[in-house]
Amino acid sequence: GEDVEQSLFLSVREGDSSVINCTYTDSSSTYLYWYKQEPGAGLQLLTYIFSNMDMKQDQRLTVLLNKKDKHLSLRIADTQTGDSAIYFCAGASGGYNKLIFGAGTRLAVHP
Amino acid sequence: EAGVAQSPRYKIIEKRQSVAFWCNPISGHATLYWYQQILGQGPKLLIQFQNNGVVDDSQLPKDRFSAERLKGVDSTLKIQPAKLEDSAVYLCASSPFTGGLHTGELFFGEGSRLTVL
């Protein structure tokens, strides 16, 4: 089954770029996802990438996918204090869209 | 469009007591998920329904946890008897996914936080 790993913590200065990394094991995932969780809230989809793509850009967000190394990254340009949250990488396992989440990367943005 | 509704938001019980959580998914969503999120960890899938059938419950501790989805809409998750290690946030999510080339996006509720003393 799918296993997803992420670094646990990232601290950046406001205005800098943030890069959050993720590795996964199941190469059959059709889509790979980035979810955001703010304190006391559920998870919200930030962006996703189809497995036959290498890159997807969506405003300040850039997702890079390296299928050979099974590595996914999320870049946030011009990071703002409102971006402080926990970011989860997820892959789908099996035919029934069973999403497996990493442990999450806590992003702290400081002035 | 109304989101995924969960209740209660918070529950404190003593070990060996029982608790039930309720979830109302987004209207028309065929697939419903219950995840357990322990503090500092990512969500772990407990059970996944498609309509009113179970498609995955491989990580559900069936000796104490049970879940049902009534008429393919609302769902309840029950824990009986609760243990200290069940302290977590229980997240319900729904998806219109029924197979094929759908993005598979999950829509999450705000969660039910359980504390077992």
Side-chain angles (χ1 to χ4, degrees):
Chain A
E2 179 74 279
D3 189 24
V4 178
E5 293 195 359
Q6 302 178 237
S7 52
L8 295 183
F9 188 77
L10 177 65
S11 178
V12 300
R13 189 180 306 238
E14 191 174 14
D16 287 353
S17 291
S18 307
V19 179
I20 301 171
N21 295 299
C22 167
T23 57
Y24 60 95
T25 56
D26 189 344
S27 58
S28 67
S29 292
T30 304
Y31 292 94
L32 292 153
Y33 308 87
W34 284 103
Y35 279 80
K36 179 182 180 181
Q37 186 177 36
E38 296 184 359
L43 280 70
Q44 183 176 18
L45 182 68
L46 260 187
T47 187
Y48 63 90
I49 187 166
F50 191 48
S51 59
N52 69 353
M53 296 170 65
D54 297 322
M55 184 181 85
K56 179 180 179 182
Q57 190 149 359
D58 184 0
Q59 299 183 338
R60 293 190 297 122
L61 305 177
T62 303
V63 180
L64 295 178
L65 176 60
N66 180 328
K67 290 183 287 294
K68 175 175 170 291
D69 295 337
K70 297 181 184 175
H71 182 266
L72 184 72
S73 68
L74 173 70
R75 179 177 179 270
I76 305 173
D78 186 25
T79 311
Q80 302 298 307
T81 55
D83 295 324
S84 294
I86 302 175
Y87 292 81
F88 293 93
C89 169
S93 177
Y96 284 101
N97 198 49
K98 172 181 174 180
L99 257 61
I100 305 299
F101 288 85
T105 300
R106 182 179 294 275
L107 174 64
V109 182
H110 56 88
Chain B
E1 170 179 84
V4 176
Q6 290 189 245
S7 68
R9 286 294 313 275
Y10 305 94
K11 188 75 176 178
I12 301 174
I13 61 173
E14 295 190 347
K15 60 183 179 183
R16 292 187 289 273
Q17 288 187 322
S18 62
V19 64
F21 302 112
W22 172 82
C23 173
N24 181 233
I26 292 173
S27 177
H29 280 194
T31 309
L32 185 147
Y33 308 75
W34 283 102
Y35 282 87
Q36 179 193 57
Q37 186 177 22
I38 292 172
L39 186 65
Q41 298 181 19
K44 182 183 88 170
L45 181 67
L46 292 176
I47 189 166
Q48 178 180 346
F49 295 92
Q50 187 162 309
N51 297 310
N52 60 354
V54 176
V55 297
D56 193 309
D57 63 356
S58 56
Q59 296 199 81
L60 186 74
K62 297 179 186 66
D63 58 333
R64 298 184 300 105
F65 286 65
S66 64
E68 61 178 359
R69 188 175 186 195
L70 306 172
K71 299 180 182 177
V73 182
D74 291 7
S75 179
T76 55
L77 175 70
K78 296 179 182 177
I79 308 173
Q80 181 179 12
K83 292 186 174 182
L84 297 177
E85 59 261 36
D86 299 331
S87 294
V89 176
Y90 291 86
L91 294 165
C92 180
S94 70
S95 170
F97 178 86
T98 53
L101 290 178
H102 186 274
T103 63
E105 177 181 358
L106 268 60
F107 296 80
F108 282 85
E110 292 183 314
S112 295
R113 182 179 296 273
L114 173 66
T115 302
V116 182
L117 303 176

